[in-house]
Amino acid sequence: MPAPKDSLDLTRLSAAYRSGSTRPSEVVATVLDRISRRGNDKVWIDVVPRAELEARAAELDTQSAEDLPLYGVPFAIKDNIDLAGRPTTAACPDYGYIAESNAPVVQRLINAGAIAIGKTNMDQFATGLVGTRSPHGACANAFDERYISGGSSSGSAIAVAAGLVSFALGTDTAGSGRVPAAFNNIVGLKPSLGLLSTRGVVPACRTLDCVSIFALTVSDAQTVLQFAEGFDGKDPYSRVPADTRYQFGGHFRFGVPGAADLEFFGDHQYETLYSEAITHLKKLGGEAVEVDFAPFLETARLLYEGPWVAERWLVIRDLLARNAQAVNPVVRQVIEKASTMSAADAFKASYRLKALRRQTETTWNQVDLLVTPSAATIYTLSQIDADPVTLNSRLGYYTNFVNLLDLSALAVPAGFRDDGLPFGITLVSTAFCERALCELGKRIQRSYGLRLGATGSTMPQADAAPTTPQSSNAVPPTLRRNGAVRVAVCGAHMSGLPLNHQLTDRGARLVRTDCSAARYRLFALEEFSPPRPGMIRDEPGAAIELEVWEMPAERFGDFVDGIPAPLGIGTVELSDGQQVRGFLCEHYATRNAREITEIGSWRTYLSSHREPDSNTN
């Protein structure tokens, strides 16, 4: 099938609208023409009637692109998410109903100016990572029709990869928003649990389900996230993020599984591409750290081997009792075993998950994020038909643990096999780190310079900026990460100096060696006994040597309580503009102090004057 000539990525589409070279009615006509020319590609379960789409576009034609952040942007919706007036079937016609209203996440996007084109194919009841378990047929891979598209959000991924829409909504419980992205050379963003409302979504595992975002670029996914997210008081699983401003910075530490835990099921090209991706990230400023991946893998096995599959059974038990044959045989095989599980099984697994969460928490004291393959390998449609359960489970090797551990994740394209099939990596971090993942993901995607999806388009020259800024983006970059605080030190708390133990005793870890922005002055407070460094913000200034440490948030308070006057903790700007907590000095203490700004380093000052005293800061 021919690739679309013009990309629908947000940067190019927004520029076209703003220049007046196209209108929403013309974009809708283009989208419908592309869908028609592909024929029965198994991507769509339901396309909104042309007359309704034209009416929506005509309404937007009368408005300004300046007034709506997603003005005229076409998008697709996985068929387990409600679109008002259209059927929601979760790829099971006997289960289907006509949605009375839009799911809140859909409504937020429509309010921002986006145009819902229709509902996409999927593994029935979102049970599968293959994209083949649907009565509507299997979606073929966007690069080779002999291979699977990945699932369960198969149609949504192909709609984006093929250039039929700008972005698409999927869902992700075990990797359904990441595996199809990797198999089709697009971006898949799995937000934290509760960040996007799941009201109006047919549950798979209600306690774990997330609405996910597919896009051609990381920038597009981040923009869509900005307008899709929002607390929903009617959704009991909706959450207000603790902090969404965290960024990893120019130097970042990423965890990788040890050799014993890496698995590619004989796919040596995927193995090579992953190794090359690690090297690639090092060139971008990353530091690879081998982590204990065993508890993550054990968590992954809990998802289908444990009682969480009973959540899937709850959704369709009435249908199974009424007409079991309406359910795909493989889906039925997976779900029916839950009917024999007991409450004791559920509690036992819940206790084990708690223990595994505690084990994995130590990982985040070592690294900013994990980087894994998005999938260990890819299979043909015929291979999946021959062994649908075992091969499907292999696809979840690097994905199943994410939702159970309440993590955020971003799948990013990272190269191609020799046969032209895509490979992708996934960036994983703690809850509510989506923006940090996206900022790093944008650097990674741009550095690879791959084409967008299966279209003929390359990365746009500049990322799209949303029309309406979000309040959380208007504040400076992070002062606090979810569960941890970053603090810059300039004196005896630095590595190898006498007070460093006050950090390490509290579980802090060194994140980066850096300098402040060139807006600070440094003084030797020699009138105090013993002398100590005092840093103040004052221009003209200079860059002062710093170390940035990350400390568990619950230990930060007693650390601050021990800091003697005239020093205190304020906000320090780093060399890259990022802001963290850091040692600052009250101005009065510098009036008669010796200025050592030209030296720019407390270590250098000490080496030329005296040995460090155990009480200096």
Side-chain angles (χ1 to χ4, degrees), residues 144-208:
D144 189 332
E145 62 184 13
R146 297 171 300 172
Y147 283 81
I148 60 173
S149 61
S152 62
S153 309
S154 53
S156 288
I158 298 298
V160 173
L164 306 180
V165 292
S166 298
F167 71 89
L169 297 182
T171 59
D172 189 307
T173 305
S176 296
R178 291 162 277 154
V179 171
F183 287 172
N184 295 282
N185 193 44
I186 60 172
V187 171
L189 175 59
K190 194 233 61 109
S192 305
L193 297 170
L195 187 61
L196 274 63
S197 173
T198 53
R199 186 159 56 95
V201 177
V202 177
C205 296
R206 194 178 180 198
T207 59
L208 304 177

Side-chain angles (χ1 to χ4, degrees), residues 272-356:
T272 298
L273 286 164
Y274 177 61
S275 177
E276 291 174 351
I278 293 173
T279 301
H280 195 89
L281 265 63
K282 290 178 179 178
K283 293 178 180 178
L284 293 179
E287 177 185 351
V289 178
E290 187 174 307
V291 299
D292 181 8
F293 203 57
F296 293 95
L297 293 176
E298 185 179 344
T299 301
R301 291 191 292 271
L302 283 178
L303 188 61
Y304 280 101
E305 296 176 11
W308 280 272
V309 73
E311 292 196 74
R312 298 177 186 269
W313 179 73
L314 276 174
V315 176
I316 63 170
R317 61 180 176 176
D318 292 341
L319 176 61
L320 288 171
R322 184 176 73 250
N323 182 13
Q325 299 307 309
V327 180
N328 176 278
V330 180
V331 173
R332 189 168 69 245
Q333 175 187 343
V334 170
I335 293 178
E336 280 187 330
K337 65 181 182 180
S339 62
T340 63
M341 292 179 177
S342 67
D345 294 326
F347 280 113
K348 181 181 178 181
S350 179
Y351 300 154
R352 185 57 188 152
L353 178 58
K354 280 287 187 182
L356 290 167

